[in-house]
Amino acid sequence: MMRALYTSATGMMAQQMNMDVIANNLANVNTTGFKRSRADFEDLLYQEMRPAGSVVAQGATSPTGIEVGLGVKAGATVTMFDQGTFQNTGQKLDVAIEGDGFYKVLLPDGTSGYTRDGAFKRDAQGKLVNSDGMAIQPEITIPDGSTDIAIGKDGTVNVTVGNASSSVGKLTLTRFANPAGLEHIGGNNFKATDASGSAVDGTPGQEGFGSLSQGILEMSNVQIVQEMVNMITAQRAYETNSKSIQTADEMLSTANQLKH
């Protein structure tokens, strides 16, 4: 059986996965703080028919070998953490990160999650939470009767109650040596892994951490035009691999008809 059939099949499966990644990017084009992904591929094993440097005649060696590749496989899906576009909302509890860092949230299982989604709300106790009700860490409580909320670029949260203004806490940021190693867990959240490295907490605007902007949200960093180009490329690659299968099938059919 011709290797081309199986090799082209791996190419088609790889492009199917590529399309899955592209489709997820496009589906989240309006998701706050979403970071697009990219599928990386690597070639499979090679069948070596003659190694390079083998003796082909007395006193002569082959400068090159004969190797036939056996296809492609997905090597990784890489999350791209470049800055998303900003949208001015004017909402007091919408806070965007300009630069490096994640907000820390308390997950239902008691562990920490990390997010770039700064669309915060207040729960029944006045605590600052995300859209799923997970408390921002460290916890910040907005007192009842607050008439104004001001969040500084360094994360300081000041509220006005009556005629008095006071600080009720400070938003901190967390960063990782390898953010691409974070695990997606849905809900705009990530979890730390051994690949991401240890979480490092810090103050916004200091020591390489991004600064905060109140009344603004960081939107998805998906570029629709680029994703559409990637989709066309994936589609053409898929079609080309299917054509290779058709051609290999025609060659096999021709060989089968030789006896006639």
Side-chain angles (χ1 to χ4, degrees), residues 14 17-26 34-41 74-82 180 184 221-222 226-227 230:
M17 181 175 182
N18 195 17
M19 270 301 306
D20 291 341
V21 173
I22 294 170
N24 186 61
N25 288 341
L26 290 172
F34 177 79
K35 299 302 178 184
R36 64 189 176 92
S37 296
R38 181 192 72 208
D40 288 348
F41 300 96
T77 53
V78 183
T79 304
M80 315 300 290
F81 282 95
D82 45 303
H184 294 75
N221 66 353
V222 173
Q226 183 62 54
E227 296 300 325
N230 293 341

Side-chain angles (χ1 to χ4, degrees), residues 57-72:
Q58 188 172 0
T61 59
S62 172
T64 59
I66 301 176
E67 296 177 326
V68 180
L70 300 179
V72 64

Side-chain angles (χ1 to χ4, degrees), residues 104-113 133-137 139:
K104 183 189 294 186
V105 298
L106 182 64
L107 298 177
D109 62 1
T111 61
S112 295
M134 301 175 189
I136 306 303
Q137 300 296 300
E139 284 190 3

Side-chain angles (χ1 to χ4, degrees), residues 114-159:
Y114 304 92
T115 181
R116 294 278 298 190
D117 183 359
F120 301 139
K121 284 87 178 171
R122 294 168 65 186
D123 68 4
Q125 289 75 44
K127 289 190 297 186
L128 210 59
V129 298
N130 67 4
S131 297
D132 291 327
M134 301 175 189
I136 306 303
Q137 300 296 300
E139 284 190 3
I140 296 174
T141 301
I142 308 297
D144 290 338
S146 298
T147 57
D148 188 37
I149 303 171
I151 301 176
K153 287 187 173 296
D154 64 350
T156 301
V157 181
N158 292 304
V159 299

Side-chain angles (χ1 to χ4, degrees), residues 11-12 14-16 18-20 22 227-243:
M12 294 181 71
Q15 294 309 320
Q16 287 175 4
N18 195 17
M19 270 301 306
D20 291 341
I22 294 170
E227 296 300 325
M228 294 301 293
V229 170
N230 293 341
M231 184 187 299
I232 293 171
T233 302
Q235 181 181 5
R236 293 294 176 261
Y238 189 87
E239 292 173 353
T240 301
N241 278 285
S242 67
K243 184 63 176 178

